[in-house]
Amino acid sequence: MQEITHGMGDGDCNAHSAPRTSRYRVSGMDCGSCAAKIETALRRVPGIREVRVSVQGGTVSVDHEAALGADAVVRPLATLGYGAVPADPLAESAPPACGGGCCGPAHSHDGHSHAAHSHSHFPADPGEAPWWRGRKAVLTLAAGAALAAATLLGLLVPETERWAFPLALAVGLVPVARRALAAARAGTPFSIETLMTVAAVGALFIGAVEEAATVLVLFLVGELLEGVAAGRARAGIRGLTALVPDTALIEQDGAAPRTVPAAGLAVGSVILVRPGDRVAADGIVLSGSSAVDESPVTGESVPKPKGEGDSVFAGTINADGALRVRITAAARDNTIARIVRLVEEAQESKAPTERLIDRFARFYTPGIVVVAALVAVVPPLVSAGSGGGVWTEWFYRALAVLLIGCPCALVISTPAAIAAGLSNGARRGLLLKGGAVLEALGRITTVAFDKTGTLTEGRPRVTDLLPFGGSEAEMLAAAAALEAGSSHPLARAILAVAAGRGIAPPVADEVAALPGAGLQGRVGGLAVALLSTRAAAPSLTAEQAERAAALAQAGKTVSVLLLEGRAVGLIALRDEPRADARQGIEALERADIRSLMVTGDTAETADAVAGMLGVKAHAHLLPEDKLRIVRELQARGQLVAKVGDGINDAPALAAADVGIAMGGGTDVALETADAAILHGRVSDVAAMVALSRRTMANIRQNIALALGLKAVFLVTTVLGVTGLWPAILADTGATVLVTANALRLLSVRS
């Protein structure tokens, strides 16, 4: 779906009639409660059809009618205390839009203190203050200082306690109450702000004002820790944007290269990338050769040699030679920008487990409120001769139950883990389009691999040189002479092996193609031909024909070199398996996942490659045949992942439970399938499965931790063992713990 940004007024929007999607970066959003309030508020805006919120990405996407005004999203968020600016993965930090209250006074939100201005939230954004200088930290410090002052004043002048502690409580409570009222008006009456406000006011009325003020400070500290943890989670993937240099050396009109902003590079421009420089944009090498470190983008640790015609990615590092590169993608469309955009959009799409938790949370908080009301009323009523002290005691316990009831830890338990898993994968070149894909990968039972370009390198290599009497060098020189002007993959393979052996091919004359047969010409005055075994059959002896047939049976393409009509040698070529193909398939076997090959190639070639890799091959398949095999496997109860190049495998990729495109950051690899492997390693399929299973285990741990802590403290609170302080620690502590547990996924490397 087309992505736009909303820096326009209604008049601009009316110029378009199609529905649109707009994405915003939101400042101050750091917990599940934030996401729920934002989603509820925006769904009430006329013209907005769908809302997707990513706490970890700090983004909100809305599907809306074309006539939606520019501040239709900004204004409701400003009312709730959040700032918003249009999202642009590699844009410069823009001044905040002043419509809808963005530039108004600061708002504080449930201890989520927010300035109404917004930031891009990229680490390199100069407008983003460190967390200790943010409004949230200032409010926490102010509330803590007020509590400390009230305590000290109470010790020195005891009679001041009756007004010092209420004032200290008000410092933090007033902003929280304002946000509670705003959330209730926006459709979220049971927010954590509401629960905190009711608990604090209730404690004030029963004389527990000192404890209420202390609990509020603990609450603000917990929320501050949530914000720090959320910022750490979202900084991981966005840190990729810092890999793109700010400037580039551009060549124009034959003049010396000059420095220009990288964000302004146009498609077709030519830039100079010096040794040690980062590549400023995606492009094609026009001249020069060098090794390029692609680990920042693909996770591949070994630098790749690059020469004329090779692709380079923005953010990669040129090692040892100057390269002239023609730009093929604008800054907002380069590989890093697309990776960031892909992961942020994936974080906004909810996984099945996350949707289940959200539905549960809708009933959980109102249920807690009902339980608190029953705790406050029922025990005193059933107690014979109960007095005011009994009512006060159970009312106090009910207030503690309210604080336990915040669903933040539960709501954030799943998306925090999924976001960390997606970010971890992106940094390793494993791109997953959403939590649903991440969940599904762990349940896969069968992987169907394409052959060419997936299990194999995708280009033929010379595997055998069999001269009949002469030397390999003489045979290679003659064959390379015929192929010197060809760009056919087989020709490039022969030329490559000749170059690798230092053989300079002589000049060939009268070179002509023989349709369906091969090439012929004259080299050194002698007639030379390079033909298929079928075309050369009359010139082969029985022994030579038998050797050629054996090579063909091994899945190799065999060419016969003729000199003056006499066979002088055989050249065999084959698209060889990737170096890690066998290792990758064995890793899947260890994970109890079966692998098979589906290819349109000949049975001989497919069986030869499959035999080396230890998989079953299905050959001579058209795209519809690959689709049929996937459907048959699914009908037998298998959960199937299809791995291919994203073009001729498109039907099977779409039909599979998970479609995985093998590629190097191309549009197909990033957009066709459910997932993409950037650096083309077969072993990364098993790595994806392992990441999925590890993430799901983390989610189960988080859910158990969130519900377990709340259950324990709910029981101990009702029994009178714990009070307000442990209740708030159970809430904010659980949120911080599940977030910290999810962050462990960011550092997983295998």
Side-chain angles (χ1 to χ4, degrees):
M1 183 175 291
Q2 181 185 9
E3 178 185 307
I4 66 165
T5 55
H6 249 290
M8 63 184 71
D10 293 344
D12 293 323
C13 291
N14 286 331
H16 305 275
S17 57
R20 299 183 180 181
T21 296
S22 297
R23 298 179 70 246
Y24 293 82
R25 299 206 181 280
V26 180
S27 59
M29 177 174 61
D30 48 32
C31 70
S33 174
C34 296
K37 285 179 290 186
I38 288 172
E39 187 170 340
T40 300
L42 292 183
R43 286 184 185 278
R44 295 158 66 97
V45 175
I48 291 182
R49 302 178 180 180
E50 186 60 48
V51 180
R52 294 177 298 280
V53 182
S54 170
V55 174
Q56 290 69 37
T59 60
V60 172
S61 286
V62 293
D63 296 345
H64 57 86
E65 298 173 358
L68 189 66
D71 63 349
V73 171
V74 173
R75 190 179 299 277
L77 295 186
T79 301
L80 288 173
Y82 304 96
V85 292
D88 188 352
L90 285 177
E92 296 290 330
S93 298
C98 292
C102 275
C103 297
H107 299 282
S108 133
H109 149 66
D110 67 332
H112 297 0
S113 210
H114 308 295
H117 64 280
S118 302
H119 313 301
S120 74
H121 282 280
F122 290 165
D125 185 344
E128 183 177 0
W131 65 267
W132 62 86
R133 291 170 50 193
R135 294 280 180 170
K136 182 180 298 184
V138 171
L139 178 62
T140 304
L141 182 61
L147 177 61
T151 303
L152 181 60
L153 191 60
L155 292 175
L156 297 177
V157 188
E159 57 269 20
T160 62
E161 286 187 354
R162 64 172 181 261
W163 55 264
F165 280 102
L167 286 178
L169 176 63
V171 171
L173 183 59
V174 169
V176 172
R178 288 175 57 200
R179 300 282 63 79
L181 181 60
R185 288 174 175 171
T188 310
F190 295 109
S191 64
I192 178 57
E193 298 92 338
T194 302
L195 301 183
M196 190 68 218
T197 301
V198 171
V201 172
L204 181 63
F205 276 104
I206 63 173
V209 63
E210 298 177 29
E211 189 172 4
T214 305
V215 165
L216 186 59
V217 171
L218 292 175
F219 171 77
L220 295 178
V221 170
E223 295 295 287
L224 178 62
L225 292 176
E226 286 180 29
V228 173
R232 170 71 179 86
R234 67 175 61 120
I237 182 61
R238 292 192 189 162
L240 286 172
T241 61
L243 298 176
V244 180
D246 295 330
T247 61
L249 289 174
I250 190 170
E251 297 182 354
Q252 282 183 323
D253 303 325
R258 61 187 180 88
T259 301
V260 298
L265 291 173
V267 174
S269 300
V270 177
I271 61 173
L272 175 65
V273 186
R274 298 169 301 187
D277 286 352
R278 286 188 183 272
V279 181
D282 289 1
I284 301 293
V285 177
L286 293 181
S287 63
S289 61
S290 180
V292 176
D293 178 6
E294 296 186 339
S295 58
V297 177
T298 67
E300 184 64 58
S301 58
V302 179
K304 287 189 176 182
K306 297 289 183 178
E308 183 177 344
D310 290 333
S311 298
V312 290
F313 304 140
T316 55
I317 304 169
N318 184 20
D320 50 26
L323 298 175
R324 293 177 65 248
V325 177
R326 178 171 53 81
I327 304 304
T328 58
R332 64 179 295 114
D333 296 318
N334 68 34
T335 300
I336 286 182
R338 285 184 290 148
I339 290 173
V340 173
R341 191 157 55 235
L342 175 69
V343 176
E344 288 185 339
E345 290 171 353
Q347 290 175 349
E348 291 166 3
S349 61
K350 293 186 177 181
T353 300
E354 186 177 354
R355 290 194 294 267
L356 178 63
I357 293 297
D358 284 347
R359 288 196 296 269
F360 175 73
R362 290 195 195 106
F363 301 99
Y364 168 82
T365 306
I368 286 291
V369 173
V370 171
V371 169
L374 293 176
V375 168
V377 174
V378 174
L381 289 178
V382 299
S383 298
S386 60
V390 174
W391 281 93
T392 299
E393 176 187 348
W394 284 102
F395 188 69
Y396 175 88
R397 296 183 188 182
L399 297 180
V401 169
L402 277 182
L403 296 181
I404 293 171
C406 174
C408 282
L410 181 62
V411 171
I412 205 68
S413 60
T414 299
I418 287 176
L422 293 174
S423 297
N424 176 287
R427 284 193 164 274
R428 295 160 58 194
L430 314 176
L431 302 186
L432 306 168
K433 293 188 177 179
V437 176
L438 187 58
E439 284 196 27
L441 272 167
R443 301 192 299 269
I444 291 299
T445 58
T446 302
V447 178
F449 288 96
D450 183 34
K451 181 184 78 68
T452 305
T454 300
L455 288 175
T456 66
E457 294 287 350
R459 56 183 183 275
R461 290 186 347 204
V462 174
T463 59
D464 300 271
L465 291 169
L466 299 178
F468 299 145
S471 68
E472 290 185 359
E474 292 172 340
M475 184 174 65
L476 261 180
L482 289 180
E483 299 284 19
S486 174
S487 60
H488 191 278
L490 297 180
R492 289 200 298 268
I494 292 173
L495 293 170
V497 73
R501 297 191 181 192
I503 298 173
V507 177
D509 300 315
E510 303 175 20
V511 177
L514 303 175
L519 291 171
Q520 67 178 11
R522 302 191 72 82
V523 179
L526 301 177
V528 179
L530 192 62
L531 305 177
S532 66
T533 53
R534 178 180 298 178
S539 303
L540 294 172
T541 66
E543 181 184 355
Q544 292 169 346
E546 185 176 342
R547 296 178 72 178
L551 292 171
Q553 187 64 32
K556 300 177 181 179
T557 299
V558 183
S559 296
V560 182
L561 184 67
L562 303 179
L563 182 63
E564 294 293 341
R566 180 176 60 86
V568 296
L570 302 177
I571 300 177
L573 305 95
R574 183 170 62 191
D575 182 12
E576 292 290 87
R578 293 180 183 270
D580 74 320
R582 181 69 186 234
Q583 173 188 349
I585 289 172
E586 290 175 349
L588 288 171
E589 289 176 355
R590 290 193 294 272
D592 295 324
I593 297 173
R594 184 170 68 98
S595 301
L596 58 97
M597 178 195 296
V598 289
T599 178
D601 214 333
T602 63
E604 293 81 7
T605 301
D607 289 340
V609 174
M612 287 188 284
L613 300 180
V615 298
K616 181 179 180 181
H618 299 264
H620 290 298
L621 301 179
L622 296 173
E624 53 266 33
D625 297 321
K626 297 179 181 180
L627 172 62
R628 172 181 51 79
I629 290 175
V630 169
R631 293 294 194 201
E632 289 174 352
L633 290 169
Q634 290 172 325
R636 294 200 293 267
Q638 300 291 308
L639 291 176
V640 182
K642 174 68 177 71
V643 187
D645 61 12
I647 301 174
N648 56 6
D649 292 303
L653 284 169
D657 296 283
V658 178
I660 303 174
M662 187 80 80
T666 63
D667 288 336
V668 168
L670 290 175
E671 296 171 10
T672 300
D674 301 310
I677 295 173
L678 284 188
H679 42 60
R681 289 197 303 232
V682 177
S683 57
D684 279 348
V685 178
M688 278 186 170
V689 173
L691 179 62
S692 168
R693 293 179 177 178
R694 191 173 287 109
T695 302
M696 295 310 297
N698 191 283
I699 288 173
R700 289 190 290 271
Q701 294 166 6
N702 281 350
I703 293 174
L705 186 61
L707 290 179
L709 274 176
K710 290 185 179 296
V712 168
F713 279 93
L714 181 64
V715 172
T716 58
T717 298
V718 172
L719 294 177
V721 178
T722 55
L724 291 177
W725 293 15
I728 197 62
L729 289 175
D731 167 43
T732 58
T735 303
V736 172
L737 285 175
V738 299
T739 304
N741 187 44
L743 290 179
R744 293 190 304 111
L745 292 170
L746 290 173
S747 60
V748 171
R749 299 299 301 171
S750 61

